[in-house]
Amino acid sequence: MADKKTKPGDLEENEKLITDTDESFRDRVSTIGTKGNRIWVYPRRPKGSFHRARILVTIILLAVMAAIPFVKLNGHPWVLLDIMNRKFILFGYIFWPQDFHIFALVFLGLAVFVVLFTAVYGRIWCGWLCPQTVFMEMVFRKIEYWIEGGANKQKALKKAPWTAGKIFKKGLKHSIFFALSFLIGNLLLAYLIGIDELSSIITDPPARHIGGLTAMTLFALTFYGIFARFREQACIYVCPYGRLQSVLLDKNSIVITYDNVRGEPRETISRDKENETAGDCIDCGLCVQVCPTGIDIRNGTQLECVNCTACIDACNSVMAKIARPKNLIKYASESQISEGTKFRFTPRIAIYTSVLILLFALVSIMMISRTEVETNILRAKGAISQELPNGNIRNLYTLKIVNKTFDFLPIEIKIKDIPGRIELIAIDSLAVKPNGIAEAAFFIEIPIKYARQQKNVIELYIMSGERQIDIVETVFSGPVNY
Ligand code: SF4
Ligand code: SF4
């Protein structure tokens, strides 16, 4: 994209690898040295309007994330992702293993949603909403700046001998990191097992929750490892969404991009002479120094870019100082940059956005419209209709009913619009326990005038108390010789 390829100012080792013309920077990761060693990134403190907006979004997100496990609806969690017991509650709707098809469809819908969203709007998720970026850049990184100072001070501290001051700073930082990781681990556990179970693990004698305490410790250690050491490597190597960017993005996707048409040829600003042919980029390297993944956005869209907006803010501050227009680095598509056009709501975006809204609506309807029970009523195999002395006719049925609620459901069957009678066989009443299955056999008895055909379709209400919780259609056989 740009004429001249550079690598991060802080990453001296990799700078040597870049020639003026090659694209070899695409063959290696900016944080891995020539010997396969990790190159630690010391990004400068970001500041600017995008960063302020991200702080606001972070506060809202963290508040919502922390609050959700505490929210209950009718005494049950509002959201629960109990993988171990295959029980999921999303926004108050419970999904049991028998709802797997709905869950699979919801996830399929979400997958398509992610693909289309990324194709149009790029990596907005990564920069603004992904918990990894939010915790790393907006929480842990800020603590690091607070204790160790900015990028240069951090580098100096790294090289400094182990004095009491350094031990104190490093000790304080890592203690806070571990405490926070422990809290994040517990938050994740609250989503997986529910806040009540988590409270019991914390308050009960340890011997009663060996498994829970082990999970707590493992989660805390994992998060500590990620945020204290692994950091941006998680986005580059582990995150499947990040790895898929090369196939999800195209030249029309809106990403954070450098306007190479306006910026090149980059030239260091000089008081004495003003080069008319020079572009707006003054090659100050600030956009590289703030990058938490250690890349140079002027090289074009790269896998490592998490769209954190730090380089936009950095470059805008430079442009303001040298009185040039802002947004040399901005949210734009590659096509917009090369064609010099502004953002347009193109038919492609309109179509993709419509499909996204449709998918969202579909998934919502599927979740909302699912019934509390799943009822299966079949005529008993081999049984024929019976004519009764009172002039009625009856058929034998089998019933299988799955309770998808948290509640014990007393069940009653009623015939819709036909005077008739339901007679349970061998039991007086029918009830099904939470997430339970009940099976029964019963007769439907109706006056013969409602069953004149060989096959008559009738509808049955499944009632629980006064509430109708399902409606089922079944076939009622008329008299054999009618
Ligand atoms: S290049 Fe990407 S990851 Fe780096 S500062 Fe810019 S937006 Fe953030
Ligand atoms: S911050 Fe702006 S002016 Fe400075 S090197 Fe980056 S793109 Fe060029």
Side-chain angles (χ1 to χ4, degrees):
M1 190 174 176
D3 296 329
K4 186 180 170 187
K5 307 298 173 199
T6 64
K7 280 313 255 186
D10 281 342
L11 312 177
E12 295 92 352
E13 186 180 350
N14 267 12
E15 276 185 344
K16 296 178 207 139
L17 300 168
I18 308 303
T19 69
D20 274 356
T21 51
D22 70 13
E23 286 265 333
S24 59
F25 70 94
R26 295 209 184 273
D27 300 335
R28 63 183 68 88
V29 175
S30 56
T31 50
I32 303 294
T34 43
K35 299 184 192 87
N37 54 307
R38 168 91 174 268
I39 301 174
W40 195 260
V41 184
Y42 294 95
R44 277 175 78 119
R45 252 185 250 253
K47 37 181 188 215
S49 54
F50 275 101
H51 190 66
R52 283 195 296 278
R54 285 184 71 212
I55 290 176
L56 188 69
V57 172
T58 299
I59 292 170
I60 296 170
L61 259 183
L62 292 184
V64 171
M65 271 162 70
I68 283 177
F70 292 91
V71 180
K72 289 192 172 181
L73 203 67
N74 301 324
H76 302 290
W78 191 57
V79 170
L80 181 75
L81 308 169
D82 189 349
I83 299 166
M84 297 296 279
N85 296 309
R86 294 180 297 156
K87 176 178 155 189
F88 301 91
I89 306 171
L90 293 179
F91 317 118
Y93 294 95
I94 184 165
F95 296 86
W96 298 103
Q98 51 270 21
D99 287 317
F100 185 76
H101 60 289
I102 297 181
F103 219 59
L105 279 173
V106 168
F107 271 97
L108 203 68
L110 282 178
V112 178
F113 187 96
V114 166
V115 170
L116 294 185
F117 186 88
T118 311
V120 177
Y121 301 105
R123 295 181 78 169
I124 286 179
W125 161 263
C126 299
W128 293 80
L129 303 171
C130 172
Q132 161 71 21
T133 318
V134 167
F135 280 120
M136 184 64 245
E137 301 308 325
M138 307 306 283
V139 180
F140 285 82
R141 189 87 70 188
K142 288 206 177 296
I143 292 167
E144 198 163 63
Y145 288 136
W146 173 60
I147 296 172
E148 294 187 358
N152 288 336
K153 285 191 176 162
Q154 286 178 28
K155 276 188 252 181
L157 188 69
K158 170 97 193 309
K159 287 184 188 148
W162 281 96
T163 58
K166 179 169 173 174
I167 292 171
F168 173 74
K169 282 185 177 173
K170 292 282 179 193
L172 179 65
K173 182 180 90 168
H174 287 285
S175 307
I176 296 177
F177 275 13
F178 189 78
L180 267 177
S181 304
F182 184 73
L183 279 181
I184 297 170
N186 279 358
L187 184 65
L188 178 60
L189 259 184
Y191 278 90
L192 296 178
I193 59 176
I195 200 75
D196 295 337
E197 182 63 21
L198 181 66
S199 307
S200 334
I201 294 177
I202 294 168
T203 52
D204 286 355
R208 286 178 55 187
H209 296 285
I210 299 295
L213 287 168
T214 311
M216 239 181 204
T217 315
L218 286 178
F219 281 168
L221 287 172
T222 307
F223 284 121
Y224 172 74
I226 291 172
F227 295 121
R229 297 298 307 168
F230 202 49
R231 302 194 157 190
E232 75 289 339
Q233 307 293 307
C235 307
I236 300 170
Y237 294 110
V238 181
C239 175
Y241 182 58
R243 309 280 305 179
L244 277 173
Q245 292 305 309
S246 54
V247 286
L248 295 178
L249 298 177
D250 62 23
K251 63 183 177 42
N252 295 312
S253 307
I254 297 159
V255 286
I256 290 180
T257 189
Y258 164 67
D259 187 343
N260 64 312
V261 176
R262 194 188 126 194
E264 300 295 319
R266 65 189 77 157
E267 195 169 297
T268 316
I269 201 160
S270 147
R271 279 182 202 283
D272 316 326
K273 58 181 177 95
E274 183 77 25
N275 184 352
E276 294 290 319
T277 59
D280 276 350
C281 174
I282 58 166
D283 211 9
C284 65
L286 212 61
C287 53
V288 181
Q289 290 163 27
V290 291
C291 180
T293 63
I295 58 166
D296 184 345
I297 192 65
R298 293 173 300 169
N299 288 338
T301 304
Q302 290 149 80
L303 169 86
E304 295 98 320
C305 176
V306 290
N307 277 224
C308 73
T309 70
C311 52
I312 303 184
D313 278 334
C315 191
N316 279 347
S317 72
V318 176
M319 291 297 120
K321 276 186 201 138
I322 60 172
R324 289 183 189 170
K326 287 184 175 181
N327 298 327
L328 182 56
I329 301 175
K330 58 186 173 183
Y331 275 110
S333 70
E334 217 178 294
S335 318
Q336 282 165 27
I337 299 289
S338 57
E339 291 158 19
T341 52
K342 285 203 160 46
F343 175 77
R344 278 180 303 119
F345 202 74
T346 58
R348 171 181 176 271
I349 297 180
I351 292 169
Y352 278 24
T353 307
S354 311
V355 176
L356 286 176
I357 293 170
L358 209 71
L359 268 174
F360 187 75
L362 204 73
V363 167
S364 307
I365 290 168
M366 274 173 66
M367 283 177 64
I368 292 165
S369 62
R370 78 192 249 293
T371 51
E372 293 177 12
V373 292
E374 203 172 284
T375 320
N376 205 339
I377 293 178
L378 294 171
R379 275 195 65 227
K381 272 188 194 153
I384 53 167
S385 59
Q386 294 173 309
E387 287 182 64
L388 303 176
N390 62 4
N392 286 349
I393 187 158
R394 73 179 184 183
N395 278 198
L396 179 61
Y397 291 85
T398 59
L399 162 79
K400 187 173 171 185
I401 187 159
V402 180
N403 179 1
K404 299 180 191 173
T405 71
F406 299 106
D407 307 315
F408 191 82
L409 290 181
I411 300 290
E412 199 187 340
I413 306 165
K414 284 188 174 166
I415 310 162
K416 184 185 171 194
D417 299 334
I418 298 176
R421 209 167 70 83
I422 301 287
E423 186 190 334
L424 290 167
I425 298 172
I427 49 172
D428 297 329
S429 62
L430 181 63
V432 48
K433 58 183 187 189
N435 186 33
I437 299 174
E439 292 185 70
F442 65 96
F443 285 116
I444 299 179
E445 181 184 325
I446 58 175
I448 200 161
K449 64 175 177 172
Y450 294 100
R452 297 203 187 278
Q453 312 291 326
Q454 194 63 49
K455 285 185 175 175
N456 307 275
V457 175
I458 58 170
E459 285 181 302
L460 302 171
Y461 289 134
I462 308 299
M463 308 291 293
S464 186
E466 292 301 305
R467 276 185 324 119
Q468 179 202 316
I469 52 176
D470 204 359
I471 181 161
V472 185
E473 207 176 76
T474 189
V475 171
F476 190 93
S477 284
V480 181
N481 52 359
Y482 198 76

